[in-house]
Amino acid sequence: MSDNDGKKTLGLRGGPRSGNVKQSFSHGRTKNVVVETKRKRVVVPKPGAAPGAKPASGGMGKPAGGAAASKRPAGISDAEMERRLKALQAAKARETEEAAQREAEEKARAEERERLRAEKEQKEREQREAEERARAKAEEEERKAREAAEVAKAASTPAPKGEPEVARPAAKPAAAPRKAEREREDRGRGPKAREDGGRRSGKLTLNQALSGEGGRQKSMAAMKRKQERARQKAMGGSQPREKVVRDVQLPEAITVAELANRMTEKVADVVKALMQNGVMATQNQSIDADTAELIIEEFGHRVTRVSDADVEDVIKEVEDNEEDLQPRPPVITIMGHVDHGKTSLLDAIRDAKVVAGEAGGITQHIGAYQVTTESGATLSFLDTPGHAAFTSMRSRGAQVTDIVVLVVAADDAVMPQTVEAINHAKAAKVPMIVAINKIDKPEANPTKVRTDLLQHEVVVEEMSGDVQDVEVSAISGQGLDELLEAIALQAEILELKANPNRAAVGAVIEAQLDVGRGPVATVLVQNGTLRQGDIFVVGEQYGKVRALINDKGERVKEAGPSVPVEVLGLNGTPEAGDVLNVTETEAQAREIAEYRANVAKEKRAAAGAATTLEQLMQKAKEDESVTELPILVKADVQGSAEAIVQAMEKIGNEEVRVRVLHSGVGAITETDVGLAEASGAPVFGFNVRANASARNTANQKGVEIRYYSVIYDLVDDVKAAASGLLSAEIREKFIGYAEIKEVFKVSGVGKVAGCLVTEGVARRSAGVRLLRDNVVVHEGTLKTLKRFKDEVPEVQSGQECGMAFENYDDIRPGDVIEIFEREEIERTL
């Protein structure tokens, strides 16, 4: 190696093929020599460098200095390159420090875990030692008891004959010191120390001493509590037990003991809390819900108020999902006048002979049938005797009917019961189909039927209306197919659906007490599926389905939506219109039935529960949403009935009006009372009276019946009742002015205005407004009105007084007080 003009040459074997020699320069001073061969890169330290010294590199094994300067990007100086190298070295140093710090933290955590484990082992060891000491102490006490028993036995054993009895008293001196020692220990320990062993009651017999039965034995719970206390004491003292917050269900009335049980608190603590709140009650006395709520909150628990009506929550209506609903057959009710052929028409549809089995050819009860048409459609029919059951079902909220078929005889036209059927259908808001029956008779006049229906706002399709009408004949079968098609079309428009895969809900069509089978109810299932063995509640009755019988008298296992069946297994006879609900358990059904029976009993016993005219007026004043006054009118002749209805239509204004549910000619019947009870309306009779059954029903249902012989008296009473629906008019009456002369501050009262009444009179009960520059700044009531030092009811004009406002103190001299009174003026029609 030689030096030539500042350059160093390295001679290596192999010539040029051995590798290329590169030099690194840093300010003209050679630092390292890099030899690049085909296989590897060798860094040769400069001559005179220390053995083992690392070559200066620019990071990642690259040489620094001239070679690096030749490869680095343009614009970076040597100083910038050195600064970057120093930053890299500082980053590496920080990483080294962080790694050392993490290692130290891991070591500290391991030491802490080791310390905690050692402490835990020490506590367990101390606990075991404490338990061993307690066990040894118990064994020592047991040994002493055995020794005392042996001494007592030896003292009580008689000496053999022939031996002197001097040995017997010798046991007493040995037992006496032990007895005195036990007494001293008991006195030193005090009352609490004797709790462990307990004191025996009565004399200690020899058998008790020998068998170990002397004294009271501890329970397992007491032993566990003792061990827990010892363990906590060994671990460094007992920890306070965490308070458990509970949700306490609170009915309208509850006994103190039951309240303490639901809170899991001591009865004595609850009684003490009641006494602190001024309520003296023992554990067996009942307290009201408000007082119990205060006690529950005082103990830190949460209150959940419940009522007796919550037992019905288990049968609340559940909304079905749209995908669970399936089409169901429509329920059609046949209605119309007597002897217009309702049942005969239904017989012709179902090819049965029901009329032959009825007394006198008149339907005596509701018939529920299912019919399958030639097209495969299933229809459920209800045949009603008059309309009483239809009304009672609607009054109980059982809307079982989907379509009403109004049967009118072509040779008889519209009759009173036909009008009642129309009113029932309108009140129930169900679509109607008119079946003009007996069309095959020579005197049939269907045009007259359609014309008469116009008087009752029933416009059939022949008269360009929207009510379907079909001419049929129950005898010849004419028009039956068209009637079924009309029913199917109406059902398709209604899109009737139900969910068969749920608990059944149905309505009682009729119920009777059968001699051999007991209470039997005809139920029309509305939703879900009723199965044999289901537990159900219906009205005030409950039971379990023992058997299901369809309309053909056959036993079936289940009944789906819109299927009428007879249900056996009730504990009593329900009423028509009661809703049947399936429950999970018999206890739930019994609770619901008992609750409903109690509510019905209270309603019957409550005085003044009737739907009287005065109560309607009071209810109308309380309920602002009532805008209609429903009534029923029966008169002796058609002309009087029409005149009364026209007079009723003239009563009212934009806020209130009278609605005549039904008007007719003849005596007041039980049907009229049923319709009035369902709609909450009174019945007005003009020159007519109610029959005996109607009077009894009205007394039971609480429906008021009023009789009139002068039409003006009837109109005046209805007008007075409708006037009660009008809200009273509020008017303000100015009574005086007062001017504030000075403002005083009175302790306990606040600011008091010294006033001079300039006009009228100032009354304490009147309303006041504070005017400042003729602008109202406050409106309220007076807190005080004084004349000198006395509180006075009023102050006349020209006199001075002191006034203070309720919850308002911003009063200034020069303000004016306006005094006024409000009065309500009853409005009349």
Side-chain angles (χ1 to χ4, degrees), residues 4 97 101 119 128 146 229 238 289 295 433 489 555 675 716 732 734 801 814:
N4 186 14
E97 291 176 358
Q101 186 177 0
E119 288 179 358
R128 286 195 300 271
R146 283 199 303 271
R229 287 195 297 270
S238 60
I295 300 302
I433 298 175
L489 176 61
R555 282 207 172 196
L675 179 59
D716 290 342
E732 284 188 5
F734 162 78
C801 62

Side-chain angles (χ1 to χ4, degrees), residues 202-434:
K203 296 181 180 180
L204 177 65
T205 64
L206 183 62
N207 291 333
Q208 289 176 346
L210 292 176
S211 61
E213 293 178 358
R216 185 174 56 187
Q217 297 295 324
K218 285 189 175 182
S219 65
M220 184 62 68
M223 294 297 294
K224 288 183 178 180
R225 288 195 296 269
K226 180 180 176 182
Q227 292 177 359
E228 182 65 24
R229 287 195 297 270
R231 183 160 48 249
Q232 291 179 352
K233 186 176 180 180
M235 293 176 63
S238 60
Q239 299 294 330
R241 189 172 60 181
E242 183 180 356
K243 179 73 175 180
V244 179
V245 179
R246 303 183 184 277
D247 291 321
V248 181
Q249 290 190 349
L250 182 60
E252 296 300 324
I254 188 172
T255 62
V256 176
E258 179 64 21
L259 178 62
N261 185 29
R262 295 188 182 189
M263 293 192 298
T264 63
E265 303 285 351
K266 294 181 179 179
V267 178
D269 294 341
V270 178
V271 173
K272 182 179 178 182
L274 285 169
M275 293 174 64
Q276 291 175 351
N277 286 274
V279 179
M280 300 297 175
T282 63
Q283 63 177 358
N284 296 324
Q285 289 180 342
S286 296
I287 57 176
D288 60 285
D290 295 334
T291 304
E293 184 174 357
L294 292 176
I295 300 302
I296 293 170
E297 292 176 350
E298 186 174 331
F299 277 91
H301 299 291
R302 292 185 292 268
V303 181
T304 304
R305 296 290 285 265
V306 296
S307 64
D308 295 338
D310 291 342
V311 297
E312 295 199 19
D313 290 345
V314 295
I315 59 170
K316 279 188 175 178
E317 187 66 26
V318 180
E319 291 293 334
D320 296 314
N321 297 326
E322 189 67 28
E323 57 270 13
D324 296 335
L325 299 179
Q326 300 178 13
R328 67 172 178 84
V331 180
I332 303 101
T333 300
I334 308 294
M335 301 179 72
H337 193 68
V338 175
D339 200 29
H340 274 206
K342 301 187 296 296
T343 308
S344 300
L345 182 63
L346 188 58
D347 289 346
I349 294 175
R350 61 193 294 262
D351 294 328
K353 297 295 181 184
V354 179
V355 175
E358 299 288 352
I362 302 174
T363 304
Q364 301 295 324
H365 61 276
I366 300 176
Y369 318 101
Q370 264 202 332
V371 175
T372 302
T373 63
E374 294 180 357
S375 60
T378 303
L379 307 178
S380 298
F381 284 93
L382 297 181
D383 184 19
T384 60
H387 317 290
F390 188 87
T391 305
S392 62
M393 282 190 290
R394 188 168 65 84
S395 68
R396 291 175 177 83
Q399 298 286 2
V400 298
T401 303
D402 300 317
I403 302 170
V404 169
V405 174
L406 181 65
V407 179
V408 186
D411 61 341
D412 204 9
V414 176
M415 299 300 288
Q417 282 193 339
T418 309
V419 179
E420 288 183 6
I422 294 171
N423 293 329
H424 279 289
K426 288 183 178 179
K429 297 180 180 178
V430 293
M432 188 190 313
I433 298 175
V434 178

Side-chain angles (χ1 to χ4, degrees), residues 19-88:
N20 298 325
V21 180
K22 295 185 180 181
Q23 293 180 342
S24 299
F25 292 87
S26 178
H27 300 289
R29 300 173 68 181
T30 303
K31 297 180 68 176
N32 298 306
V33 178
V34 180
V35 180
E36 291 186 358
T37 65
K38 291 182 179 180
R39 293 186 179 181
K40 63 180 179 178
R41 179 188 181 112
V42 181
V43 180
V44 183
K46 70 173 183 176
K54 293 181 180 180
S57 64
M60 301 299 292
K62 294 182 181 181
S70 64
K71 289 185 179 182
R72 65 172 174 259
I76 297 179
S77 61
D78 295 338
E80 178 66 16
M81 196 66 184
E82 286 184 357
R83 188 185 67 78
R84 294 187 179 183
L85 292 174
K86 290 179 180 179
L88 181 62

